[in-house]
Amino acid sequence: MTTEYSGGGDPRRSLELLWGVRGKPKRGPKPRLTAEQIVRTAVEVADAAGLDALSMRRIADELDVSPMSIYTYVPGKAELIDVMVDRAVAELTPPVQDTWRERLEHIARGNWDLYHRHPWLLQVTLARPPMGPNMLGKYEYELRAVDGLGLTDLEMDSVVALVTGFAESAARVSVNAAEAERRSGISDEQWWEATAPLLETLVDEADYPLGTRVGTAAGQEYNAAIAPARAFEFGLARILDGIAVLIASR
């Protein structure tokens, strides 16, 4: 699975596309396309088949135009991915809850759900996030969720990064687990039923007493080797507990 890097294209051209400065030819006959159509089609392709399947030619085929006509509106794949990410985060909603804990929980769950709707987002490294209106708006309301709690500006930034980073990491495990089942064609339960009989003949439980005890309890409860959704719930609660200690210290 290919990893793409946000900010990997021309920064100026990316910003022009993100903010609507670039997007349609200034002269000639009435254009058949818009930049928004291209972005929407690109997202649909990525949702269905991942970023590995995304190309200007694939988008052109979907829109029934020539590949060169796509470049009239979008300078390249790198800049296109920046806009795709910005459009995707527009689906998130600002928290309206009363308490900081509820607001951060809303943010974490929103990100978790977004990664499941658009798994290709997990293929994009956001070390240089696209500076579009939706990404900047997302950061603004995430900071508002912890504003006025006595935290420093750097602590506010770190709290937001902690919560959103955890949601991304947990969603990655969940999406990968679903992909493993899709590619293998067997469920976790079926995989374990095929693995367990032979494993019992190869492994002496006395050599792994804790792993055997805890693993058996977890496996019986989850009916699988891992339970990503439960791990997300547990981890989010513990992270919020830790943030509560930080806030209380103020």
Side-chain angles (χ1 to χ4, degrees):
M1 184 178 293
T2 302
T3 298
E4 300 286 351
Y5 292 84
S6 176
D10 183 317
R12 181 180 179 85
R13 300 175 86 183
S14 180
L15 284 172
E16 289 176 346
L17 193 59
L18 283 162
W19 290 90
V21 177
R22 176 190 177 97
K24 59 183 178 179
K26 297 179 180 180
R27 297 180 181 178
K30 183 178 179 180
R32 292 182 56 189
L33 299 174
T34 65
E36 188 60 36
Q37 283 178 291
I38 294 169
V39 173
R40 185 169 59 248
T41 300
V43 169
E44 290 171 355
V45 170
D47 284 347
L51 289 183
D52 291 344
L54 184 67
S55 67
M56 295 307 200
R57 178 171 292 280
R58 173 69 179 270
I59 296 169
D61 289 344
E62 294 288 335
L63 292 170
D64 193 26
V65 297
S66 70
M68 288 306 299
S69 66
I70 301 295
Y71 289 99
T72 303
Y73 303 86
V74 179
K77 183 178 179 180
E79 293 83 2
L80 175 60
I81 288 174
D82 283 348
V83 183
M84 290 169 62
V85 172
D86 193 68
R87 293 294 190 276
V89 301
E91 297 175 16
L92 297 169
T93 59
V96 296
Q97 292 83 354
D98 293 331
T99 70
W100 66 264
R101 187 174 183 119
E102 291 172 327
R103 293 192 293 269
L104 288 181
E105 186 174 336
H106 172 91
I107 289 168
R109 294 188 190 284
N111 279 267
W112 163 273
D113 290 341
L114 185 70
Y115 286 121
H116 283 82
R117 287 196 302 274
H118 304 295
W120 56 268
L121 285 169
L122 295 169
Q123 292 180 252
V124 183
T125 298
L126 296 179
R128 297 175 179 173
M131 294 299 176
N134 298 310
M135 186 64 77
L136 293 181
K138 174 180 182 290
Y139 184 52
E140 183 72 17
Y141 69 66
E142 287 170 346
L143 291 174
R144 284 202 302 267
V146 292
D147 190 25
L149 301 176
L151 302 178
T152 67
D153 288 350
L154 293 181
E155 287 171 340
M156 289 168 61
D157 178 78
S158 294
V159 164
V160 166
L162 175 62
V163 171
T164 56
F166 168 72
E168 177 185 353
S169 177
R172 188 181 305 277
V173 174
S174 178
V175 167
N176 286 345
E179 180 66 8
E181 181 171 330
R182 186 189 70 81
R183 291 195 180 194
S184 67
I186 61 174
S187 67
D188 284 345
E189 183 178 5
Q190 292 170 322
W191 173 83
W192 185 248
E193 288 175 349
T195 302
L198 180 58
L199 190 64
E200 290 175 357
T201 68
L202 299 173
V203 176
D204 187 345
E205 293 181 359
D207 293 335
Y208 310 97
L210 282 176
T212 298
R213 190 188 81 209
V214 175
T216 299
Q220 291 175 345
E221 176 68 20
Y222 306 152
N223 205 27
I226 60 173
R230 291 183 64 149
F232 170 72
E233 296 293 341
F234 181 85
L236 177 58
R238 301 295 75 78
I239 286 174
L240 296 178
D241 288 344
I243 295 171
V245 173
L246 174 64
I247 293 172
S249 70
R250 295 297 181 263

